[in-house]
Amino acid sequence: MTKSKDESNKLTYETATGEIEFTLMSDMMFHYVMQNSKTALTGLVCALKGLSPDDVQDILVENPIDLNSAGKETIMDIKLTLNNNEILNIELQVYPDKYWISRSILYLCRVYDNIGSGDNYSLIKPTTLFCITDQTLIPKAAKEFYARYRLTNIKNHHLYTDKFGINVLQLNHTDLATQEDINHNLVYWANLFKATTWEEFKKLAKNHPDIEEVGNMIFELNYDNQAKELLEGQRRYREQMNSQYTAGYTDAEEKYENEIVKLQAELKTLQEELEKYKSTNK
């Protein structure tokens, strides 16, 4: 890594002010920080799972990244093994995605398939996908700060299994947090993700040595020329992919708009004819 000496000599994490260009909402930044700060990772996992730090005997990042060789298209979800008996996937979703539900289920199923051919099914590790987002990924769902989805019986709501699920932390709904969410530090972590200035971040990090460590890493990467180039390249890649997706969806809407209007008119005519037929054949 090559640092911008003029800037890094003038500023430190403690004295930095103004906007944080690359925050924890940058998935590469998030991945780098979490794989290099076990205390911060433990804190986030405990918040997401409602655990005490004493419950975490071991936590291992299964897919660490190397910034010196990371490409802009690198998959940025974090795959963890907790206490050697549970698998967690943590993913940031910072762009809208019409197919997020299908994609999240696919990701979860892939990770849940965690035994070899011929192995005993008792060896399958419980698996949870955690999504941290500021997007509306499930439009018809009631607004909620922290949602937990599991397989249940649709009649009596009997839980089929708690070993397979998806949790969604909705950063833009901290006002809907429960007392349990607050007690588990989920609101605190949500505010860390949403912090866009050094002033906001330092206020949250005060008296939290583990988060001060996170602040130092964020500062380091924001003032490291090579790291910034990687972060900017990935951001542009993600923005381009999102723009192409949005443009393609819009083009399709425009292309078939006239046809849809025509079909709707035909359907209305058929409905009117049906009602007329019913009224004359009573």
Side-chain angles (χ1 to χ4, degrees):
M1 296 293 175
T2 57
K3 293 185 178 180
S4 175
K5 292 184 179 179
D6 290 340
E7 289 181 301
S8 61
N9 286 338
K10 291 178 182 178
L11 295 175
T12 65
Y13 157 64
E14 290 82 4
T15 59
T17 59
E19 182 183 358
I20 305 173
E21 185 174 3
F22 297 102
T23 70
L24 279 178
M25 288 301 286
S26 164
D27 47 11
M28 186 178 285
M29 175 73 77
F30 171 66
H31 201 136
Y32 176 81
V33 167
M34 289 300 153
Q35 77 180 31
N36 286 288
S37 175
K38 194 168 186 177
T39 52
L41 179 60
T42 299
L44 175 60
V45 168
C46 286
L48 291 169
K49 286 187 60 63
L51 300 175
S52 163
D54 294 336
D55 296 324
V56 179
Q57 283 78 51
D58 186 41
I59 188 167
L60 178 66
V61 177
E62 300 283 359
N63 60 339
I65 60 171
D66 180 357
L67 288 183
N68 291 310
S69 59
K72 60 182 181 297
E73 71 283 354
T74 304
I75 300 300
M76 284 293 130
D77 65 302
I78 299 180
K79 182 180 178 183
L80 309 169
T81 299
L82 177 63
N83 296 337
N84 201 35
N85 61 12
E86 184 176 358
I87 295 178
L88 313 177
N89 243 43
I90 305 177
E91 177 178 336
L92 294 180
Q93 185 63 38
V94 298
Y95 295 109
D97 185 352
K98 181 181 177 182
Y99 301 106
W100 180 83
I101 293 177
S102 296
R103 184 166 61 83
S104 63
I105 294 172
L106 177 62
Y107 287 176
L108 177 61
C109 290
R110 284 175 174 171
V111 180
Y112 188 70
D113 183 10
N114 52 62
I115 61 172
S117 177
D119 286 347
N120 191 297
Y121 291 122
S122 65
L123 299 176
I124 295 178
K125 293 181 173 65
T127 304
T128 307
L129 171 68
F130 296 90
C131 177
I132 300 172
T133 186
D134 57 2
Q135 302 295 314
T136 302
L137 300 176
I138 313 173
K140 294 183 180 180
K143 292 181 179 180
E144 191 173 3
F145 173 58
Y146 193 45
R148 301 168 176 85
Y149 296 92
R150 300 294 183 271
L151 290 174
T152 62
N153 185 305
I154 62 174
K155 290 182 179 180
N156 57 25
H157 305 293
H158 177 75
L159 181 65
Y160 191 83
T161 181
D162 61 355
K163 296 182 178 181
F164 180 87
I166 297 174
N167 291 11
V168 181
L169 182 65
Q170 199 77 48
L171 299 178
N172 50 345
H173 291 317
T174 51
D175 57 313
L176 299 177
T178 66
Q179 188 59 49
E180 182 182 30
D181 296 329
I182 296 171
N183 293 343
H184 290 158
N185 289 325
L186 273 173
V187 174
Y188 176 76
W189 273 99
N191 288 330
L192 282 173
F193 279 104
K194 294 193 295 180
T196 58
T197 68
W198 289 111
E199 289 79 7
E200 291 175 309
F201 194 93
K202 284 187 289 186
K203 186 176 180 180
L204 290 164
K206 188 176 181 180
N207 299 323
H208 291 270
D210 52 336
I211 304 305
E212 291 177 359
E213 179 183 30
V214 171
N216 287 327
M217 292 185 193
I218 294 176
F219 176 82
E220 179 186 356
L221 264 63
N222 271 277
Y223 287 94
D224 182 301
N225 289 334
Q226 184 178 346
K228 283 186 69 175
E229 185 177 345
L230 286 168
L231 290 164
E232 180 61 26
Q234 190 208 39
R235 179 167 64 183
R236 290 185 180 182
Y237 172 78
R238 295 298 175 91
E239 288 175 349
Q240 181 182 10
M241 293 298 291
N242 182 61
S243 297
Q244 289 176 349
Y245 165 80
T246 302
Y249 182 70
T250 302
D251 290 346
E253 280 189 322
E254 293 175 351
K255 179 179 179 180
Y256 294 107
E257 183 177 3
N258 292 334
E259 187 174 343
I260 291 172
V261 170
K262 181 180 178 182
L263 288 173
Q264 289 175 336
E266 291 177 355
L267 178 60
K268 183 179 179 180
T269 300
L270 289 172
Q271 289 174 332
E272 291 173 350
E273 291 177 353
L274 179 60
E275 291 302 319
K276 183 178 179 181
Y277 174 81
K278 288 179 178 179
S279 63
T280 56
N281 289 275
K282 287 185 178 178

